[in-house]
Amino acid sequence: MVNGSVILGMAQVFQATPLGSQNAQQYLLYNIILLILWFGVFPWFYEMFQLWRYQSQVSSFLNRLRFFMNNNISQVMDFIANKVSEDKHLIEGRIRDLMEMVIIEPTSIEPEGLVRKYKMLVSSYNDRLERDVIRLMPSLGNNRPMVQNFTNVIDVLRELNFIYKVIDHYYRLAMKYKSYYLLIQLAAILPLLKEEIDALNGSVPVFLKGQPIGDSAGPLTVFRFKNLCSDLNVISNSVKDTYLASCMFKDRKIYLVKAEGPGGTVGHLDDAIKYIYEGINARPRLMITIDAALKLEGEESGSIAEGLGVAMGGIGVEKFNIESVATKYGTPIYAILVKMSMPEALNAMSKTIDEAVNKVVERLGKVVETYTEPGDEVVIVGVGNTIGVAQ
Amino acid sequence: MLISVDLYTTLIPVIVTVLTVAVLFYAVSRDLRNVLAVSGVRRISEYVTLRCPTCGYVKVREFKVGDYVGKVDDEKCPNDGSSLVIIGIGKEQANA
Ligand SMILES: [Zn+2]
């Protein structure tokens, strides 16, 4: 009965709309309740709801990511199941250890020699991963492409794990302090991360199978261009993991540079270019770099852009070294870019990119003809991961 | 009169609540779909392009593990019998 009278009382309050107001006190009460509802209760509800909404987004994203990682690891284990003889549990545990590997960037308080430090760090990281893979599965030891591809897979897993840990950290912080704005920021970057994670996740089976990826467009261009020229002469054993050759194309001497395939590696292109200038003492008239570039949303996949400068991603170590050499000897650098999205760059090469490479080869011929004279020397650099592309 | 007031004051909140829950549910499920959706690229086939180095004969076949660009394939050219070389590996997809 008490409840009933309360409801009745409320009903009277609500009935006392401004139109029929006879009792000033009831009118005031009505307005106060409305005020509290609008400015106290509703916003609070709204914030709770938003918090819950963003929370569910971020947590399901994290679950998804965890699922991806486990799924990828089991794919790796399936793949090697009948290829290696070592203990599978040990391998899986070791892979999970490698995923936790930390790389500490050199300090930049004093920038002197930073590029050399980075180069040293990157190459020792690659060496270490490769050696770990061989130690993990000695039976793979004599199959270098396989070891390189496996190294790539572990690199991808490490990156997925890193993204997971960082997002998880901020998610936990946001939940610990019920921080609305931290959660909103997390939820806001999810679409960008999702793109990256889809790309990384899709790349694991491709790396395992050793198929060319979108990023292989540069090396593939060099491979196809090689078929157009004559008098091929491989300059062997000059630089580790890097293919260097000279050939003739329309009376120009062409130096071809790419990572050495078909294992997944980006090679040491800067060292190869340095070798061309200082080992062979060539004085190229023009240097052309070809690379896959991330497209903007409005741009079409497989569209080709030309420009000036070194077309090359990554930390910028090799880019810096190539620029330094080219500047020292006054060689202009021409760039040809194949535009693609992040998932395309890291997944199996799509038909669009495959066809775009043919167009790039055509353009390359035209660029060489237009900007150099017969008798000149030209360097052509295919930048990118050469997985699945030999020479 | 009291009864009509009661109906009014109880029905409206119920309707509002139901509508709100429906809208919220829709909003959240749409969010989750956006976050969880696997990108709409469906893989159909992975192909290998083979080319004869002497006469330029071109052939396309299914990708096998172990194939790489530059590999000299077991298959022979029907025109002159030289070994075909892989010059491209790609995938065709339903929607790019
Ligand atoms: Zn033939």
Side-chain angles (χ1 to χ4, degrees), chain A residues 10 35 55 82 102 114 144 147 160-161 163-165 180 205 214 249 265 304 328-329 340 346 352 357 363-364 387:
Chain A
M10 287 288 282
L35 209 70
Q55 185 208 337
N82 47 15
V102 208
L114 197 58
R144 191 159 153 76
V147 171
L160 279 176
N161 190 39
I163 295 174
Y164 177 83
K165 285 206 295 188
Y180 184 44
F249 176 78
T265 175
I304 299 162
K328 187 174 169 191
Y329 295 97
M340 60 188 79
L346 285 179
T352 340
V357 168
R363 285 224 198 175
L364 199 53
I387 186 160

Side-chain angles (χ1 to χ4, degrees), chain B residues 51-58 76-84:
Chain B
R51 185 171 165 276
C52 170
T54 38
C55 72
Y57 165 80
V58 172
K76 299 277 185 281
C77 171
N79 301 333
D80 49 34
S82 45
S83 290
L84 299 179

Side-chain angles (χ1 to χ4, degrees), chain A residues 272-323:
Chain A
I273 286 164
K274 207 167 181 180
Y275 185 80
I276 292 176
Y277 283 90
E278 284 159 15
I280 312 174
N281 277 315
R283 289 293 174 269
R285 182 76 176 273
L286 180 69
M287 190 189 303
I288 308 169
T289 54
I290 304 122
D291 193 13
L294 280 189
K295 74 178 179 84
L296 300 173
E297 272 303 303
E299 288 177 316
E300 221 171 298
S301 293
S303 57
I304 299 162
E306 286 179 33
L308 295 173
V310 179
M312 193 179 252
I315 317 175
V317 174
E318 303 210 324
K319 189 174 169 169
F320 176 88
N321 289 338
I322 294 174
E323 283 163 355

Side-chain angles (χ1 to χ4, degrees), chain A residues 161-204:
Chain A
N161 190 39
F162 180 72
I163 295 174
Y164 177 83
K165 285 206 295 188
V166 172
I167 298 294
D168 188 56
H169 167 72
Y170 285 108
Y171 173 67
R172 277 166 199 267
L173 264 189
M175 293 328 285
K176 190 167 157 191
Y177 295 108
K178 292 271 169 266
S179 169
Y180 184 44
Y181 293 101
L182 203 52
L183 258 185
I184 289 182
Q185 290 184 52
L186 275 182
I189 57 166
L190 286 190
L192 303 177
L193 281 175
K194 186 182 167 291
E195 183 108 321
E196 187 168 346
I197 278 158
D198 278 349
L200 289 170
N201 179 50
S203 71
V204 170

Side-chain angles (χ1 to χ4, degrees), chain A residues 42-206:
Chain A
F42 288 160
W44 182 77
F45 258 131
Y46 177 74
E47 201 177 297
M48 286 299 287
F49 167 64
Q50 291 285 45
L51 202 66
W52 172 63
R53 188 178 155 188
Y54 291 127
Q55 185 208 337
S56 66
Q57 277 185 28
V58 179
S59 71
S60 55
F61 177 84
L62 283 171
N63 285 335
R64 182 94 182 160
L65 188 47
R66 203 178 314 124
F67 167 76
F68 275 168
M69 285 196 295
N70 289 329
N71 187 32
N72 280 329
I73 291 179
S74 55
Q75 272 190 47
V76 172
M77 299 317 291
D78 283 351
F79 187 81
I80 60 171
N82 47 15
K83 289 191 174 57
V84 296
S85 47
E86 288 79 10
D87 181 22
K88 301 294 178 294
H89 286 287
L90 207 79
I91 293 180
E92 189 175 335
R94 195 77 192 95
I95 289 177
R96 286 188 191 271
D97 280 351
L98 285 175
M99 279 164 68
E100 299 286 331
M101 191 161 122
V102 208
I103 292 159
I104 302 151
E105 289 187 15
T107 175
S108 53
I109 315 173
E110 159 75 75
E112 162 75 25
L114 197 58
V115 174
R116 263 168 290 145
K117 289 178 193 165
Y118 265 114
K119 189 169 168 72
M120 159 85 184
L121 191 68
V122 169
S123 60
S124 57
Y125 167 67
N126 287 335
D127 278 356
R128 153 103 203 261
L129 265 190
E130 261 180 44
R131 233 171 268 168
D132 276 348
V133 168
I134 293 174
R135 210 169 43 193
L136 200 57
M137 295 169 282
S139 42
L140 278 187
N142 49 5
N143 188 348
R144 191 159 153 76
M146 190 87 158
V147 171
Q148 286 172 320
N149 295 351
F150 217 87
T151 310
N152 280 320
V153 169
I154 287 176
D155 208 25
V156 167
L157 289 176
R158 207 179 63 86
E159 199 159 331
L160 279 176
N161 190 39
F162 180 72
I163 295 174
Y164 177 83
K165 285 206 295 188
V166 172
I167 298 294
D168 188 56
H169 167 72
Y170 285 108
Y171 173 67
R172 277 166 199 267
L173 264 189
M175 293 328 285
K176 190 167 157 191
Y177 295 108
K178 292 271 169 266
S179 169
Y180 184 44
Y181 293 101
L182 203 52
L183 258 185
I184 289 182
Q185 290 184 52
L186 275 182
I189 57 166
L190 286 190
L192 303 177
L193 281 175
K194 186 182 167 291
E195 183 108 321
E196 187 168 346
I197 278 158
D198 278 349
L200 289 170
N201 179 50
S203 71
V204 170
V206 182

Side-chain angles (χ1 to χ4, degrees), chain A residues 8 15 49 52-53 56-57 60 64 194 198 209 211-212 220 223-224 262 348-351 354 388-390, chain B residues 1-2 5 24 28 31-32 34-39 46-47 63 65 68-70 86-92:
Chain A
L8 261 179
Q15 196 189 16
F49 167 64
W52 172 63
R53 188 178 155 188
S56 66
Q57 277 185 28
S60 55
R64 182 94 182 160
K194 186 182 167 291
D198 278 349
K209 284 192 284 183
Q211 265 176 303
L220 187 59
F223 172 82
R224 290 195 182 152
M349 183 178 280
S350 64
K351 197 174 186 186
D354 191 21
V389 182
Chain B
M1 193 205 171
L2 264 179
V5 165
L24 295 194
V28 169
D31 282 353
L32 290 188
N34 283 344
V35 175
L36 297 185
V38 182
S39 59
E46 291 164 344
Y47 65 87
F63 172 82
V65 174
Y68 58 85
V69 173
I86 298 178
I87 57 155
I89 298 175
K91 65 162 188 219
E92 280 190 274

